[in-house]
C-alpha cells in the first residue's frame, strides 16, 4: 500500500506479475505497427536464441530512479530467468535502461550503457519514440543473435554547400 502512495502512476501501471506480452506500452507513445514489429522481432529472437526480451515504454520513471535501476527492479519483481532481458524506455528523459540475467553474456555493460544513452536518445529526443524503440530493438537483436554490435547511430552531416548559384554567378 505504501508504494501506491510513493509511486502512484508507476505502481498502478506496471503489473506485479510477469506480463503475458513482451511489449508493454504504458506511455501510449508507440505506434501499432512498431508494437507489432517489436513483438515479431522478440518472438523470432526467442525462437533462435532462447532469450526473452521485455520492452517497457513508460512516460517517466519513479522519483530518483535511473532507467537501469528500474529495469532491474522489474526483472526482480517479475522473477525473470537467466536468459531474460528487460528494456525500459523512459520517454520524458529520453533514456533507456537494460537489465539482463546472468545467462545473457553477449550483452555487455558497455553495450547496455551505449544503447540507453546513445541509441534510444538519438530519436527519442525528437519525440520519435517508436523509431527510437525500433533502433534499440534492432541493436539488441543483432547483439543477442551473435551478429555483432552495430553500435550507436551516427549523425551524418550533409555537405553544407548550397544548391543555389552565388549572386556573382547569377
Amino acid at each position: 500500500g505504501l508504494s501506491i502512495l510513493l509511486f502512484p502512476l508507476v505502481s498502478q501501471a506496471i503489473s506485479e506479475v510477469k506480463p503475458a506480452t513482451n511489449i508493454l506500452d504504458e506511455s501510449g507513445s508507440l505506434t501499432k505497427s512498431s508494437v507489432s514489429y517489436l513483438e515479431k522481432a522478440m518472438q523470432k529472437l526467442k525462437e533462435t536464441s532462447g532469450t526473452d526480451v521485455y520492452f517497457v515504454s513508460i512516460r517517466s520513471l519513479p522519483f530518483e530512479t535511473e532507467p537501469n535501476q528500474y529495469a532491474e527492479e522489474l526483472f526482480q519483481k517479475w522473477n525473470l530467468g537467466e536468459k531474460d532481458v528487460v528494456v525500459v524506455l523512459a520517454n520524458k528523459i529520453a533514456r533507456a535502461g537494460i537489465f539482463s540475467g546472468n545467462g545473457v553474456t553477449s550483452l555487455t555493460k558497455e553495450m547496455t550503457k551505449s544503447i540507453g544513452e546513445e541509441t534510444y536518445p538519438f530519436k527519442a529526443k525528437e519525440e520519435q519514440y517508436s523509431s527510437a524503440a525500433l533502433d534499440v530493438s534492432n541493436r539488441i537483436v543483432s547483439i543477442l543473435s551473435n551478429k555483432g554490435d552495430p553500435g550507436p547511430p551516427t549523425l551524418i552531416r550533409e555537405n553544407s554547400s548550397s544548391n543555389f548559384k552565388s549572386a556573382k554567378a547569377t
Side-chain angles (χ1 to χ4, degrees):
L2 185 60
S3 66
I4 292 175
L5 293 172
L6 296 174
F7 312 118
L9 293 172
V10 176
S11 63
Q12 291 174 346
I14 305 293
S15 173
E16 294 288 321
V17 293
K18 183 169 127 177
T21 177
N22 287 51
I23 315 303
L24 290 175
D25 183 18
E26 297 299 332
S27 65
S29 60
L30 301 178
T31 63
K32 285 182 182 178
S33 62
S34 62
V35 169
S36 174
Y37 177 88
L38 289 170
E39 286 172 343
K40 287 176 186 158
M42 295 312 106
Q43 183 59 41
K44 186 174 180 191
L45 183 64
K46 183 179 172 102
E47 290 167 5
T48 57
S49 70
T51 305
D52 232 342
V53 181
Y54 295 88
F55 272 81
V56 181
S57 174
I58 56 175
R59 189 166 146 53
S60 57
L61 292 163
F63 185 67
E64 292 188 354
T65 305
E66 289 295 313
N68 285 342
Q69 183 185 352
Y70 190 62
E72 183 176 358
E73 286 174 20
L74 290 177
F75 188 94
Q76 306 297 342
K77 187 189 293 187
W78 294 341
N79 198 24
L80 298 178
E82 286 190 353
K83 291 200 78 170
D84 294 338
V85 179
V86 174
V87 179
V88 172
L89 308 173
N91 298 341
K92 199 171 190 182
I93 60 170
R95 284 189 41 223
I98 301 169
F99 188 82
S100 59
N102 295 332
V104 183
T105 54
S106 55
L107 197 59
T108 66
K109 293 274 183 229
E110 293 78 26
M111 288 175 188
T112 59
K113 182 176 170 50
S114 171
I115 292 168
E117 296 176 5
E118 296 175 282
T119 304
Y120 184 68
F122 189 74
K123 290 183 180 166
K125 284 180 180 175
E126 306 295 322
E127 296 183 4
Q128 298 175 3
Y129 303 117
S130 285
S131 186
L134 296 179
D135 289 349
V136 169
S137 165
N138 292 338
R139 190 165 172 196
I140 288 175
V141 166
S142 179
I143 293 167
L144 296 178
S145 301
N146 295 320
K147 294 179 182 165
D149 182 7
T154 53
L155 189 61
I156 299 169
R157 294 270 178 219
E158 293 296 322
N159 187 352
S160 59
S161 64
S162 175
N163 291 346
F164 297 105
K165 293 180 183 176
S166 67
K168 186 177 182 180
T170 309

